[in-house]
């Protein structure tokens, strides 16, 4: 798709706020990307325009039936001033998989990357440079046909918004406390668990808020049929280190295929560390804990990159992992990935892409 992306600049640029005041996902840049779809025309009118509210008809399909998809990636500022993306082709491919599952028209993956690059380029001055900070990129699609009947929409809007974000860990990498959810479930095979689509997250809020009330940071989801096998954490994939081996649940349709997960598996294997992708029972994790062989647990995702798990609560059992401290593998992975993403370290994989 060699469509030309038009640019309409805003009249007055805002001054990006100081990074310490940013937090996550509440501040947005001067511009956004918008493109429309009609079944008779395909995707058309790609444009970067001043950031502004969208005009939405109250009968637009997504307001009622949740036909939406999204992606999440980051742009990092290198020490020499360059702006780098991390594996955006993987986001493009996953976006199409999500769209396919949700009956939304696919998009040329190269165009997806071009649209991301163009939008970031226009608001390049918003990419913060302090260690750990980044510009979070949120591409998404909403179904906009004005119709209350239940069917795949014939109209869509694809939008990209940008949000400068503070360092996830302001005082060093910090382990989380995780509640293993045994009542509610996130996804089942045949459902939409492998798609980044709104409903998956709406459905997870109940368990999340219950866990938060009990003082936990996140929930660990178990399989939706027997609540026996480990799936993932909130918006992160999960890894365990048992007896020197790294184990992560295999992708079987109900788990979101994380790009950080994929990167971590490749890096570990390159380091000569054994990684098993397979089904793993929470019982196996608990037994390893009791035998003293559960050495580490951590989550992986674009927001935190690596999030060590300091505590897992499963029914009556409280597992304090590695004395509640970040483990060696988790810490090493975090430093390595941040180094790659910010161009501080040489990239033998060809994963970083300059804007
Ligand atoms: C986005 C997401 C992840 C992590 O994916 P990354 O590509 O590594 O950011 C994991 N689980 C869920 C449910 C997610 O939405």
């Amino acid at each position: 798709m060699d469509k030309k992306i038009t640019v309409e600049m805003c009249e007055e640029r805002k001054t990006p706020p100081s990074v310490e005041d940013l937090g996550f996902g509440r501040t947005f840049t001067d511009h956004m990307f918008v493109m429309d779809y009609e079944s008779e025309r395909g995707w058309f009118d790609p444009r970067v325009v001043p950031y502004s509210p969208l005009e939405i008809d109250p009968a637009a399909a997504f307001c009622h039936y949740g036909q939406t998809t999204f992606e999440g990636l980051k742009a990092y500022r290198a020490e020499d001033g360059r702006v780098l993306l991390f594996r955006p082709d993987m986001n493009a491919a996953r976006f199409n998989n999500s769209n396919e599952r949700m009956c939304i028209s696919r998009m040329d993956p190269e165009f997806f990357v071009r649209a991301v690059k163009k939008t970031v380029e226009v608001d390049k001055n918003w990419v913060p440079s302090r260690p750990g900070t980044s510009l979070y990129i949120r591409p998404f699609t909403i179904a906009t046909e004005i119709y209350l009947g239940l069917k795949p929409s014939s109209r869509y809007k694809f939008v990209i918004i940008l949000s400068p974000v503070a360092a996830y860990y302001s005082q060093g990498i910090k382990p989380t406390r995780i509640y293993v959810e045994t009542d509610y479930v996130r996804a089942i095979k045949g459902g939409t668990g492998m798609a980044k689509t709104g409903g998956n997250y709406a459905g997870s809020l109940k368990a999340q808020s219950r866990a938060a009330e009990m003082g936990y940071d996140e929930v660990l989801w178990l399989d939706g049929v027997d609540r026996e096998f480990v799936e993932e954490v909130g918006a992160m994939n999960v890894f365990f280190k048992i007896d020197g081996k790294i184990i992560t649940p295999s992708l079987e349709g109900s788990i979101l295929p994380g790009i950080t997960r994929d990167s971590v598996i490749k890096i570990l294997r390159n380091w000569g560390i054994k990684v098993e992708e397979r089904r793993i029972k929470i019982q196996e994790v608990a037994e390893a804990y009791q035998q003293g062989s559960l050495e580490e647990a951590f989550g992986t995702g674009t927001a935190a990159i690596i999030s060590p798990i300091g505590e897992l609560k499963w029914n009556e059992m409280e597992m304090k992992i590695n004395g509640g401290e970040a483990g060696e593998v988790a810490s090493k992975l975090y430093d390595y990935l941040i180094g790659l993403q910010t161009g501080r370290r040489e990239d033998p994989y060809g994963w970083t892409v300059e804007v």
Side-chain angles (χ1 to χ4, degrees), residues 70 72 91 94 186 196 201 232-237 256-261 300-303:
F70 68 93
N91 295 95
R94 185 172 66 191
R186 190 190 94 95
K196 261 181 135 66
Y201 305 85
E232 59 182 316
V233 177
M236 282 191 280
N237 296 109
L256 203 286
I259 294 161
T260 321
R261 173 189 182 277
T300 65
T302 296

Side-chain angles (χ1 to χ4, degrees), residues 288-353:
Y289 175 74
Q290 280 162 334
Q291 289 158 8
S293 56
L294 176 59
E295 293 155 8
E296 285 188 45
F298 55 91
T300 65
T302 296
I305 311 177
I306 303 290
S307 173
I309 298 173
E311 191 183 325
L312 264 185
K313 173 153 169 82
W314 180 43
N315 295 326
E316 298 314 308
M317 195 171 171
E318 281 172 19
M319 305 177 230
K320 193 142 195 151
I321 304 167
N322 192 39
E325 299 294 319
E328 195 189 317
V329 172
S331 304
K332 204 172 148 202
L333 278 169
Y334 179 77
D335 287 340
Y336 186 79
L337 270 165
I338 276 259
L340 276 188
Q341 290 165 336
T342 55
R344 241 191 307 116
R345 214 177 263 279
E346 203 196 326
D347 172 15
Y349 303 95
W351 284 342
T352 48
V353 173

Side-chain angles (χ1 to χ4, degrees), residues 93-159:
R94 185 172 66 191
F95 195 49
N96 272 333
N97 289 337
S98 299
N99 286 337
E100 147 66 27
R101 179 64 183 84
M102 303 309 292
C103 291
I104 297 172
S105 174
R106 68 174 255 119
M107 186 179 297
D108 176 358
E110 277 172 28
F111 184 81
F112 175 96
V113 175
R114 193 146 71 80
V116 166
K117 279 187 179 173
K118 186 76 193 175
T119 317
V120 173
E121 193 187 299
V122 171
D123 281 341
K124 222 172 184 170
N125 61 313
W126 282 84
V127 183
S129 57
R130 224 173 234 243
T133 63
S134 58
L135 184 70
Y136 184 78
I137 305 166
R138 168 56 59 86
F140 64 98
T141 316
I142 51 176
T144 50
E145 184 174 347
I146 300 164
Y147 180 51
L148 292 183
L150 182 60
K151 70 163 186 75
S153 175
S154 64
R155 303 274 187 277
Y156 298 96
K157 232 181 226 316
F158 170 63
V159 182

